[in-house]
Amino acid sequence: MTELNNGRIGGPAKSLLTPENCCLMMIDYQPVPFSTVRSMDPQLLINNAIGVAKTAKAFGVPTILTSVLEERFDGPFLPQLREVFDGREAINRTGNNPWEDERVVAEIEKTGRQKILFAGLWTGNCIALPVLSAMEDGFDAYVVADACGDANETAHAMALQRMIQAGAQPITWQILMLELLRDWANEDKAAAVNEIAKQHAGVQGQAAIYFEGMVADRAER
């Protein structure tokens, strides 16, 4: 058995995400990319992206919004996402790779976080390029797979495979939320998670509603 944590067995893996060790990049959630997504239902993709955004806000995860050619081609950043962050404007760039924009990298460096979550459109272009670039610069990359989309399922799958082979870790948005929570005894955060789940997590949201009802029923007895 391997000894960890200064001779003590147990505790969380260093690779696990916490509210204190990660930041989030939300990339190019704009009308033109959305109109071309065929790897998953676009409305589900929007729902998942909003779930990611609300999760980041609930846990205080620093979040960078970035868009490409808003006025000239791709259109405005998704208003529902900007609303989550109190109307914040996205960093509007011209290149495909956000990591080649000094303003974006500067915002990442300001966070002081080593682990970066990536979510956005398209998976094979404006997600894969910064993921590969960030890892070469020594960062740990996590791709929120069900909050990313591409022109078809093959393009999405091959992009994920390319990033995983390079060392990126895939995650889904609901698992991200639970990984950040980690302990249901954290009542304030658990309540926030339940609210996000009820709004955006489908069957998990139904489970949250059932759980709340059971707790309320027991409290009345």
Side-chain angles (χ1 to χ4, degrees):
M1 184 178 293
T2 303
E3 291 189 352
L4 300 174
N5 301 329
N6 296 320
R8 182 177 62 82
I9 300 298
K14 292 181 180 180
S15 62
L16 294 185
L17 296 159
T18 72
E20 296 76 29
N21 71 8
C22 66
C23 60
L24 168 66
M25 287 183 64
M26 303 200 78
I27 300 169
D28 301 357
Y29 289 106
Q30 298 169 258
V32 169
F34 268 121
S35 71
T36 60
V37 168
R38 297 294 182 271
S39 57
M40 68 183 299
D41 177 73
Q43 188 58 51
L44 177 59
L45 178 57
I46 290 173
N47 173 77
N48 293 352
I50 295 172
V52 172
K54 289 184 176 180
T55 295
K57 185 173 183 180
F59 285 95
V61 173
T63 302
I64 294 89
L65 311 180
T66 182
S67 58
V68 62
L69 297 174
E70 283 197 28
E71 298 84 7
R72 291 162 54 187
F73 185 67
D74 278 2
F77 197 86
L78 187 68
Q80 298 96 309
L81 286 176
R82 292 184 58 237
E83 287 173 11
V84 173
F85 300 105
D86 305 315
R88 185 196 312 167
E89 295 287 343
I91 298 173
N92 188 31
R93 61 185 203 284
T94 59
N96 287 341
N97 183 2
W99 208 258
E100 295 179 38
D101 189 300
E102 293 180 356
R103 298 168 299 166
V104 175
V105 176
E107 289 299 315
I108 292 291
E109 291 179 328
K110 281 182 187 177
T111 71
R113 309 294 176 89
Q114 182 67 25
K115 301 180 187 300
I116 308 175
L117 291 152
F118 292 85
L121 311 175
W122 288 340
T123 319
N125 185 25
C126 296
I127 298 300
L129 299 184
V131 164
L132 297 172
S133 301
M135 287 191 296
E136 285 198 8
D137 281 345
F139 290 87
D140 302 320
Y142 297 72
V143 182
V144 189
D146 57 351
C148 296
D150 212 316
N152 55 65
E153 292 181 7
T154 300
H156 177 74
M158 291 300 98
L160 285 175
Q161 184 173 324
R162 180 185 184 190
M163 290 183 282
I164 291 167
Q165 287 181 342
Q169 298 190 47
I171 193 168
T172 57
W173 85 264
Q174 292 182 53
I175 296 305
L176 166 64
M177 183 169 64
L178 296 174
E179 190 166 321
L180 293 176
L181 174 63
R182 203 79 56 79
D183 189 344
W184 290 97
N186 186 345
E187 294 183 1
D188 289 342
K189 297 303 183 186
V193 163
N194 275 334
E195 284 303 311
I196 296 169
K198 285 189 291 185
Q199 296 170 23
H200 300 286
V203 292
Q204 183 184 338
Q206 293 302 306
I209 293 170
Y210 174 76
F211 175 75
E212 284 187 353
M214 292 290 291
V215 170
D217 181 61
R218 290 176 182 175
E220 292 174 358
R221 291 180 183 177

